Every structure is written in C-alpha cells, then in structure tokens.
Amino acid sequence: MSDQAPIRQRTSWTTRRDEKRRRLESINPWMKGPVLTQNKIVETLETVVQSGDRIVMEGDNQKQADFLSRSLAKVDAKKIHDLHLIISSISRPEHLTLFELGIAKKVDFAFAGPQSLRVAQLLEDGVLEIGAIHTYVELYARLLVDLIPNVVLVCAEQADQEGNLFTGPNTEDTPVIVEAAAFHDAIVIVQVNKIVDTLPRVDIPGSWVDIIVEADKPYAVEPLFTRDPRHITDLQILTGMMVIRGIYERHQVQSLNHGIGFDTAAIELLLPTYGESLGLRGKICKHFALNPHPTLIPAIESGWVESVHSFGSEVGMDEYIRARPDIFFTGRDGSLRSNRVLCQLAGQYAVDAFIGATLQMDGDANSSTVTTGRLAGFGGAPNMGHDPHGRRHSSPAWLDLKTNADPTLPGRKLVVQTLETFSKGGEPAFVETLDAVEVGKKAGMPIAPIMIYGQDVSHVVTEEGIAYLYKTEGVEERRRALAAVAGISPVGLKAKANETADLRHRGIVAFPEDIGVQRLQANRSLLAARSMEDLVAWSDGLYQPPAKFRSW
C-alpha cells in the first residue's frame, strides 16, 4: 500500500446546484411562488442567464416558446452574449436575430426549414457557428450527455399556482427538455397560455419547474402536416399507386411512418379507393407512427387504421382526435398525448416501413435536404430512415427483405424514398454529386450533411417506376437500378436499355405496367377527398381547418 495520500480533484460536488440557487435567489422579489410577473421576463433572463450558457429553446417544427424567444432577443447584448443555443428547429425570425445581435454565437439543431436560407447566409457571414446538424433523437440524447443545459425555455398550455404543467396535445419535446434540466440543476422557465386553479391533467410536475410566466399571447403552433388535396398532382397519384401495389401489398407492410409531403398525402387518400379495390384493407397500413394528418381521416373513417401514435398534434384536429380515442393516444381529459422522442423511437424500431421524400439524390441513393444556399437540416428522417440493427422482433414485411434463408441473418426495415425526377423549377432531383458535399466543405463540417445514406435505402420510387435496391448485388448493379428510374436526369442518362430490361426481368426494377398499375388510371378521381371541404365532411364536421386552408 502506498504511503502517499490520494489527491482530491475537487472541493465541491454541488457547484451546479449552488449556482442555480444563487441565480434564482436574485429574482425572488419578482416571484410569487413559481409565478413570475410578465413584465419582469427580460430582467429575469438578464439575471438567470449568463454569457456562454447553454440554452435550450423549445422551438420544434410546430410548437414555439415564442414569448420567451422574443424576450431573450430583448436582453442587453453587453450583459448576455456568446450563448450556445440548442434548438430542435430554427423556425422563428428571432431565433436568428439572437446571432445578429451577438446574444448567441453557436447553435446545435436538427431542422431549419422556414429559416434555412437565412441560416446559410449567417453561416457564410461568420455570424453563426454550427456545432452539428442532428436528428431529433440525437440532439435530445446529447442533452443527457455532453450538451447538458444551464437554462431551458419551454412552453405549455396551462400551469397551476404550484407550477404543475398541462402540455395539451402538443407535448412534443417538452418532457425530455425539462427532465434534462430539472435533474441536473439547470433552470426551467416555462411560458404558459394561462395560469389556472385546476389542470385537466398534470403532464409535468411543478417540482421540475422553476419559473412560470403567463405569455402575452398563446404560443405559436404551425399546421405543418396539413396538405390540401387540391394540390395533389396526377404524378403523385401515380407514385402513390405504385407504392401501394409494388411495396405495401408486396411486402405486407402493416406498421409505418409517412413523411409530410404530397406524395404520402396521396397514398393516404388512395387507401379507401385504390387500396380498397385491391382488397387490401386489414392487410396493410394498420398502425402509424405519425402526426394526425388530416388526409388520413378518410382511411380512419373507412376502417383501415387501427392506431396512430403522434410526434405532435395538428392545428384543427383536436376535436376529431377527442372523438376517436380507439385510434389516438389520449388522456382522461380527451386531449392527445404526443411525445416526439417516444414516437421517433416507435418510428425507428416498431414500424415495418419509413417512406419520405427528399430534394436531391445521387447515383448511390444518398439523399439530402441540404442544398446550395439552403441549410434545411434533417428533422427525424435519419432516425426513422435507416435499418436499426438493434431490432429483434420480426414481422412479415421485415422478414420479406431477407435475401437468403440463413437463420443467423436478420430481416430488414423498408426505407423508401420518393421523388420526381425533376423539381418544379426544372432542376434535376437526381444529381452526380449532392450539393450537401460542397455545403459541408464550406461550413467546415468533417462529413457532408447527408440526410439518408444510400446503403439504408431499400426502395426508390419515381414517376418512372420502382427500384428494389435491396435486391441488388454489388454497387454497380445498385447504380444501374437507380438509373433505370431516374428519367432523363444526369443519373438517369447513364441507364442502358438492355440493362434496364434485364433488371425488369429479374424484378429488381418495376415500371408501373410490371406491377399492374395503369398510368391512365392515375388521376384525381381516385382520391377519397379532393378538397379540404371533403376532409371536413369525412370527419363529420369535427376537423376544423385553419383559416388559410378554408375556401368555402
């Protein structure tokens, strides 16, 4: 045994707790229990936030803690600067104003759809630093490991005088953000729409919350998942028919996630018509990890759908959800309980198939929504758009993608990418090299910001046909299969007629006629609903579309 005493590395194990107590004590005069007077919010932020802090701001792709983000943008940049912002979705103008003012310096995020052009410009100007572009679950996971916050800014529907929260149908990111803070001595600040005496249910206990403030107006919620059937095109209907016939029916897909585009909206509206004509009700598309898409209403009403677990809610769907508790996950109060982390995990491990769209794809089926001058990010697509090697339960669809009978080899999740060979602006969607490669270089990223790697993609569907990439042997055959459905794009021009004929013969490529899909049948008459008014009628008047979608 050594005679030398061990050297203790630190004198205190409560530095985070002590610092939190110090900061909160300085605002005691403005507090009544956990309740803060609204007009003291900017001074409070200047007091409890310190320069260089990690700040998590609830701004997902729907629900925004906008009163708190607007208030943070009003603090004195001489007092508060160089913040490290952690935000799942850069959605509001003030999110980036924080960087222009010098209040924030660095950001880790997952998605930046509405602000993607501005993000790219601020990055190029050196005003903003990007830690990484994450998937949703990846970003949340890091809150528990190496991005532990100092202060979090979230929102809820209601709070009571003790600080208990009712998050309502748009729970989304709130639980994981609050838990990451509350149990590692960070400060939890919550804007609420209303402070009440009694809550419909307690979603987050007051012991996890430090400050609640009634906002100047209800928090912003975007109807992100609403697609007007009027805008669905014949090509999207054709693609939807091919997906139903050549993928869902062929592989017996029963549980799935749909992306938010018009391609998948078309599929949902084809189930009660085209799918019904094929006798597929009860055989496919029974369970969804999905926001409550209004275009799913006809499929629910006609008996196709058995369950829907949601990442978040959707504006106007509350009463419909309340009336369909057999389908949706609701509380005793009747409102939806959404949870982005849990639904992302369901979309990763519990479903047979993920199907989504992309902006660009290269000849190896790598895809990205990051293009020149547009840093959109990924959201949850990479979480769900890959084959999770940790899966151990089997399903007919998962087993159907096995390429040999070896009992030691697993099945495979279906990862389907849909895209038209050319975008609306006439730019090819299939390219030799993704814009993301050059964008990544300019931004100093160690790897290109690719959304879904080609090695994970099992099927690609275009208006030309389906490439069953999981069946291919080797890189070159995979490239030939993709080229066969890439039209006259730079990738598609490499296709050779004799090679495509061979791939069709072997079932690696299928054109519509190969799977019994009639191109001339692909028109809007096949849709179960052709307008927002039709969706309202299907819902027996329960669905209440936002004003911007009303045309009657």
Side-chain angles (χ1 to χ4, degrees), residues 477-522:
E477 185 168 84
R478 187 179 178 86
R479 288 172 177 166
R480 289 197 294 272
L482 192 61
V485 299
I488 56 171
S489 67
V491 172
L493 290 173
K494 295 180 179 180
K496 298 178 181 178
N498 61 325
E499 292 176 348
T500 298
D502 176 63
L503 292 169
R504 290 175 68 187
H505 176 72
R506 293 161 54 204
I508 295 172
V509 168
F511 288 174
E513 54 270 26
D514 300 332
I515 53 175
V517 172
Q518 300 176 32
R519 294 178 187 267
L520 294 179
Q521 191 183 2

Side-chain angles (χ1 to χ4, degrees), residues 187-208:
I187 295 172
V188 177
I189 305 177
V190 187
Q191 71 169 75
V192 297
N193 294 344
K194 192 173 183 180
I195 297 175
V196 298
D197 293 328
T198 305
L199 299 176
R201 68 174 190 245
V202 174
D203 291 319
I204 292 175
S207 59
W208 296 15

Side-chain angles (χ1 to χ4, degrees), residues 371-501:
T371 57
T372 300
R374 185 184 180 92
L375 220 66
F378 313 130
N383 288 132
M384 295 175 286
H386 80 285
D387 183 33
H389 292 172
R391 175 171 171 165
R392 292 297 181 271
H393 77 281
S394 60
S395 66
W398 188 74
L399 292 172
D400 203 43
L401 263 64
K402 282 176 66 79
T403 53
N404 68 58
D406 187 338
T408 66
L409 293 179
R412 181 173 170 181
K413 179 181 179 179
L414 282 75
V415 176
V416 185
Q417 290 275 264
T418 66
L419 67 167
E420 293 180 19
T421 55
F422 281 79
S423 66
K424 290 182 179 178
E427 293 293 319
F430 288 93
V431 295
E432 295 275 11
T433 304
L434 295 174
D435 288 358
V437 174
E438 185 60 27
V439 171
K441 286 180 181 177
K442 287 184 176 180
M445 298 178 185
I447 57 173
I450 290 172
M451 181 175 69
I452 296 179
Y453 287 102
Q455 64 195 29
D456 284 317
V457 179
S458 60
H459 302 70
V460 173
V461 188
T462 74
E463 72 275 17
E464 300 289 334
I466 303 174
Y468 295 90
L469 298 183
Y470 76 95
K471 288 186 172 186
T472 58
E473 296 181 7
V475 173
E476 289 306 317
E477 185 168 84
R478 187 179 178 86
R479 288 172 177 166
R480 289 197 294 272
L482 192 61
V485 299
I488 56 171
S489 67
V491 172
L493 290 173
K494 295 180 179 180
K496 298 178 181 178
N498 61 325
E499 292 176 348
T500 298

Side-chain angles (χ1 to χ4, degrees), residues 245-264:
R245 195 74 201 266
I247 298 178
Y248 292 176
E249 179 183 17
R250 175 169 297 190
H251 301 299
Q252 303 174 63
V253 173
Q254 296 190 27
S255 58
L256 63 163
N257 166 261
H258 272 181
I260 63 174
F262 283 99
D263 288 352
T264 46

Side-chain angles (χ1 to χ4, degrees), residues 344-383:
Q344 287 283 340
L345 290 175
Q348 184 169 352
Y349 283 99
V351 303
D352 293 329
F354 161 84
I355 178 167
T358 186
L359 295 178
Q360 279 190 341
M361 179 175 285
D362 67 16
D364 290 313
N366 298 307
S367 64
S368 187
T369 50
V370 173
T371 57
T372 300
R374 185 184 180 92
L375 220 66
F378 313 130
N383 288 132

Side-chain angles (χ1 to χ4, degrees), residues 278-390:
L278 299 173
L280 295 178
R281 178 157 49 92
K283 299 177 182 178
I284 66 169
C285 300
K286 294 163 63 176
H287 307 285
F288 286 84
L290 190 70
N291 268 49
H293 289 190
T295 47
L296 199 61
I297 291 173
I300 294 172
E301 294 300 307
S302 53
W304 280 75
V305 181
E306 294 184 12
S307 69
V308 179
H309 187 268
S310 299
F311 309 95
S313 190
E314 185 66 1
V315 178
M317 286 288 284
D318 289 353
E319 292 307 310
Y320 180 76
I321 291 166
R322 189 182 300 275
R324 302 291 184 269
D326 280 352
I327 304 297
F328 296 97
F329 287 70
T330 58
R332 291 181 182 179
D333 64 307
S335 68
L336 181 73
R337 170 66 175 193
S338 61
N339 188 303
R340 192 171 300 278
V341 173
L342 293 182
C343 200
Q344 287 283 340
L345 290 175
Q348 184 169 352
Y349 283 99
V351 303
D352 293 329
F354 161 84
I355 178 167
T358 186
L359 295 178
Q360 279 190 341
M361 179 175 285
D362 67 16
D364 290 313
N366 298 307
S367 64
S368 187
T369 50
V370 173
T371 57
T372 300
R374 185 184 180 92
L375 220 66
F378 313 130
N383 288 132
M384 295 175 286
H386 80 285
D387 183 33
H389 292 172

